[in-house]
Amino acid sequence: MVASAGGGSDGLARSDDKGPLSVGERAEYERLRSAAAMRHDRLRTVGASLLILLAVVLTPLGVIAAWADTTISDTDRYVDTVAPLATDPAVQTMVIDRLTDRVVRNVDVDQVATSLGGVLARDGAPPVVVDHTEALAGALKTALSSAVHQVVQGVVTSDQFPQVWENANRRAHAAVVKVLTGEGSSAVQAKDNTIVLDIDPVVDSVQKRLIDAGFEKAGKIPDVDRQIVLLRTDKLTKAQGILRLLAILGLWLPAAVVALAALGVWLAPSHRAGLMATGIGMGVTLIVLLVGLAVMRQIYLDSVPSDTQPQDAAAAIYDTLLRFLRDSALTWLTIAIIIVVAGYLYGPGRGARAVRDAAAHATGAVGRPAARVGVRTGGAGRWLDGHRRLTSGIVIGAGALALALWNSPTPSSVALVLVVVVVILAALGVLAAAGTTRPSPGSPDGRPSGDVVGPPTTNPHADTHG
């Protein structure tokens, strides 16, 4: 308590009211209070560090969990994901070559050449002609392959093929889920770690056109040949347990990551430092995820035999299936970079102060002349000037909420929201400057121009650690 001694009123009294603290007792009191505050800050730092570290480690898993929930587990989203493959040149070429080969394999060209030689012999053709009919087998096969290839290409590149591709992938989706997570309908199986795509409608259309063109053998394509390999998963099946767990966690894991990060930043003695640490940590782990996807891509391509899938088709399928995962990782990496930059700009560094001063000067250079010509914001502008931290927080929070509600945000959508937030903050700065500038000499109140009402908007030497 406060007691008066010797005419003084600022001395600290003993707890037993026997008199003020001596110099030594006061020093001990201050030391104990400082030690207690230090222990408190240390506990907060340790707790915040653990929460932020956990959020950072779980960030890549959260991105994968969201992708597994929205892209793999959901049939409609999966079909939308693989839809571009129907018009991909590498995939179209693979389908055309596979169907052409299977049609031609059902035609015994050597037997045709032998039969032709028998017919020529019965008709009395010269022996030299009959003896060389077997040499026609190669030419016949080439001509047949060319004719069949042209018909199949017409079917695969037609406007109807994308719809056929969509329906086939909708039927195959259960097999995709089964292979990647080890679960799913038993009615559709994936054999030998391979997901196959049944293209019955395409084969039927090709058969009809070939039969109409005189290739009767085309009607005998076996049922087993009505499939093409969409994905071979010799390496990916090792991750079935993880993918199954992530599919179960779904969108709960990303929400937990955000909650842990927010709690860690709030608990940190310096919110700005905690925010920057979170952004840096998440950025590093997301870069590791992107590098891992690139490495896994090469491992996958190396594991696919060339007789199963051409390299370009396998690459197109892999890139298309994982494109939303890669986009999500890039989106969150962009957000992490923005967090780090924003944290720095709100700090006490010389560069940060220079940027803030330049921004204040720029908005003032627009707002003050506007006020002098009659565009004044009055009390509202002065309120904005006195509550810059509040209004900035509201605008930034609204931008974060817009991204949270955005359906599958991309780096470009993050950039768009960032531009909108910066423009709004600049507009608020101009309005604040227009409210803190007095009218010109010609105004009704007659006060001189250029005077600024209230305190300066920024203090370049202010400590902004918090």
Side-chain angles (χ1 to χ4, degrees):
M1 64 180 65
V2 178
S4 177
S9 61
D10 59 344
L12 290 176
R14 299 178 186 270
S15 59
D16 55 3
D17 292 333
K18 291 182 178 180
L21 296 175
S22 66
V23 175
E25 289 173 333
R26 183 188 297 275
E28 179 66 13
Y29 170 76
E30 294 295 340
R31 186 187 66 80
L32 293 175
R33 188 173 66 172
S34 177
M38 185 177 299
R39 284 195 299 270
H40 178 68
D41 286 348
R42 188 176 300 160
L43 288 175
R44 289 182 59 187
T45 301
V46 171
S49 299
L50 291 176
L51 290 172
I52 291 173
L53 178 62
L54 186 58
V56 165
V57 172
L58 292 178
T59 295
L61 297 179
V63 174
I64 298 174
W67 169 77
D69 181 76
T70 58
T71 302
I72 298 300
S73 300
D74 185 84
T75 301
D76 292 333
R77 182 62 183 268
Y78 172 78
V79 171
D80 291 341
T81 299
V82 298
L85 292 174
T87 54
D88 186 272
V91 176
Q92 287 185 338
T93 300
M94 179 185 69
V95 175
I96 292 169
D97 291 344
R98 291 290 188 268
L99 289 181
T100 299
D101 178 67
R102 289 164 188 176
V103 171
V104 173
R105 274 193 287 132
N106 283 278
V107 179
D108 193 341
V109 179
D110 293 332
Q111 183 181 0
V112 172
T114 301
S115 300
L116 179 60
V119 171
L120 291 175
R122 286 194 303 272
D123 291 344
V128 65
V129 176
V130 175
D131 292 341
H132 285 81
T133 52
E134 293 183 359
L136 295 175
L140 287 173
K141 188 172 185 177
T142 300
L144 176 63
S145 298
S146 177
V148 172
H149 186 277
Q150 185 174 359
V151 172
V152 175
Q153 185 177 28
V155 174
V156 173
T157 58
S158 66
D159 295 336
Q160 291 74 32
F161 183 68
Q163 184 61 46
V164 172
W165 181 265
E166 176 182 332
N167 294 335
N169 276 285
R170 192 172 294 277
R171 293 193 302 270
H173 177 251
V176 176
V177 174
K178 184 174 182 62
V179 170
L180 293 182
T181 66
E183 298 177 350
S185 173
S186 59
V188 183
Q189 299 290 336
K191 300 178 180 179
D192 299 327
N193 297 322
T194 301
I195 299 173
V196 294
L197 196 62
D198 197 337
I199 52 173
D200 269 336
V202 179
V203 175
D204 292 340
S205 180
V206 169
Q207 283 179 326
K208 185 178 183 302
R209 294 195 187 189
L210 290 174
I211 292 173
D212 292 343
F215 298 99
E216 296 182 0
K217 291 288 186 179
K220 298 181 179 180
I221 301 178
D223 290 341
V224 72
D225 283 341
R226 295 170 177 262
Q227 299 172 334
I228 63 169
V229 174
L230 180 63
L231 187 67
R232 180 177 292 276
T233 58
D234 292 342
K235 302 295 183 182
L236 296 181
T237 47
K238 296 179 180 179
Q240 276 188 351
I242 297 177
L243 288 171
R244 188 184 304 119
L245 176 61
L246 293 178
I248 294 173
L249 293 175
L251 296 178
W252 289 103
L253 185 56
V257 170
V258 174
L260 288 170
L263 184 59
V265 172
W266 174 81
L267 187 61
S270 172
H271 299 328
R272 186 184 65 86
L275 191 65
M276 291 185 66
T278 302
I280 293 172
M282 287 185 173
V284 171
T285 55
L286 289 168
I287 291 174
V288 171
L289 174 60
L290 291 170
V291 172
L293 291 176
V295 173
M296 191 170 69
R297 179 183 188 271
Q298 191 57 51
I299 293 175
Y300 168 71
L301 295 180
D302 292 340
S303 69
V304 178
S306 57
D307 58 346
T308 300
Q309 265 184 358
Q311 283 281 310
D312 54 351
I317 293 172
Y318 179 93
D319 293 339
T320 301
L321 281 175
L322 269 69
R323 78 180 189 277
F324 287 128
L325 175 57
R326 187 171 54 251
D327 289 347
S328 296
L330 288 172
T331 299
W332 282 102
L333 177 59
T334 304
I335 294 174
I337 294 173
I338 292 174
I339 288 174
V340 174
V341 173
Y344 170 76
L345 291 179
Y346 273 90
R350 181 178 300 176
R353 292 200 304 268
V355 171
R356 293 199 301 270
D357 290 344
H361 178 76
T363 54
V366 176
R368 285 191 291 271
R372 294 185 186 119
V373 297
V375 183
R376 295 186 293 273
T377 55
R382 288 190 292 274
W383 185 91
L384 288 174
D385 182 66
H387 297 81
R388 287 178 181 268
R389 186 183 295 273
L390 173 63
T391 55
S392 297
I394 292 175
V395 173
I396 294 173
L401 180 62
L403 282 178
L405 298 178
W406 198 299
N407 185 23
S408 301
T410 62
S412 59
S413 60
V414 174
L416 174 62
V417 171
L418 176 62
V419 169
V420 171
V421 167
V422 171
V423 169
I424 293 176
L425 291 176
L428 292 177
V430 171
L431 294 175
T436 56
T437 303
R438 295 186 185 276
S440 62
S443 63
D445 54 15
R447 285 182 291 188
S449 64
D451 293 338
V452 177
V453 178
T457 58
T458 61
N459 181 3
H461 300 291
D463 185 4
T464 56
H465 280 286

